[in-house]
Amino acid sequence: MEFEGCSCFRQRLVLSTLSGKRVKIRNIRSKDDNPGLRDFEASFIRLLDKVTNGTRIEINQTGTVLFYQPGLLTGGAVEHECHAQRAVGYYLEALLMLGPFMKTPLRAVLKGVTNDPSDPSPDLLKITAIPLMKTFGIDGDGLEIKVVKRGVAPGGGGEVHFSCPVRRSIKPVHLTDPGKIKRIRGTAFSVRVSPQMANRIVDSARSVLNTFIPDIYIYTDHMKGQSSGNSPGFGLTLVAETLNGTFLGSEVVSTPQGQGDPVLPEDLGRNCAKLLLEEIYRGGCVDSTNQSLALLYMTLGQQDVSKTLLGPLSPYTMEFLRHIRDFFQIMFKMDAQKPGEDECRGGEKVLVTCVGAGYSNISKTIK
């Protein structure tokens, strides 16, 4: 399969690995002053090489053409130094998609930047993606994301442990009613700055959220010494849980040291609370960060109908749907859902329906 350009780079390689189809990507930033693959993309290819066996990768001299022939997903213990241009979340999102289909349970140690403004943090994925995976039947003792050391951009120095059990197949789901919000939880972290920063973030976030719901608890996480990474920073991750077990999350991180205007903790807390309210307004049974993860699991599920109610689709998710059609020949049926009169009004929703491809994990070891 042939593609042009560098957009949706991860999607193409992840879907290629799962479907076993070879991919050739041409013209990667060919008109750019600095053409070819970026360091973080090369690092991502190396990570895929570590979790697979027999993968063939060819890159031309300028780095503008990539040929990728996927091997078998082996899993096991993997340690990877993520490039500092992107956060650990950039690599972790791909591992969440590939983890259940390995030969042996995956135990990955990812080192680098844990929190930056552009990628989802391990905290956000822990409180939104992990419950979503459990809904699809990927559960067990081994499923967890753990932040051992924090490292904010640009210096990094963080460490995240991710472990995931393997599954033979993914069960179909019917997620059509998100339910009402029952509680809000969160984590305010601060590294290499005064611990008071986290408290200031919590106070300002609560000042916005307290008018809506009383059950709010925000932990403060202040790491010291070796476990605090190489750069100062602070941030907040919030998650709203509904009565039906849907998790909607939002997060904001301070501006990296030496880049742009500094942010006050009070502003950061308020912004994060408003982003959470916007996410709740968008609604759906999956938050906007994990739309593509849910769609992938629906695609690979057993040959049965899966339905999920999503908020407005993000541009990234739309591209992902096109790639799923190219790699797996699976099309989703979409019905726009207008909010009812009797319900609390929210954004317009989309009910996506598909019949799973009946994907079976052929490399799983039989006990």
Side-chain angles (χ1 to χ4, degrees), residues 209-229:
L209 298 171
N210 275 345
T211 52
F212 297 99
I213 190 168
D215 189 357
I216 301 172
Y217 192 85
I218 303 174
Y219 302 89
T220 54
D221 177 18
H222 181 71
M223 289 198 167
K224 297 189 191 125
Q226 287 295 308
S227 57
S228 66

Side-chain angles (χ1 to χ4, degrees), residues 225-281:
Q226 287 295 308
S227 57
S228 66
N230 306 326
S231 297
F234 48 87
L236 174 64
T237 308
L238 290 173
V239 65
E241 186 185 344
T242 70
L243 292 165
N244 293 353
T246 296
F247 292 83
L248 305 169
S250 72
E251 67 175 341
V252 180
V253 185
S254 60
T255 322
Q257 189 182 19
Q259 301 172 19
D261 300 325
V263 186
L264 281 171
E266 285 78 10
D267 295 345
L268 186 140
R270 276 193 296 274
N271 290 347
C272 191
K274 285 172 186 168
L275 279 174
L276 182 71
L277 296 175
E278 190 180 316
E279 194 65 60
I280 292 168
Y281 175 79

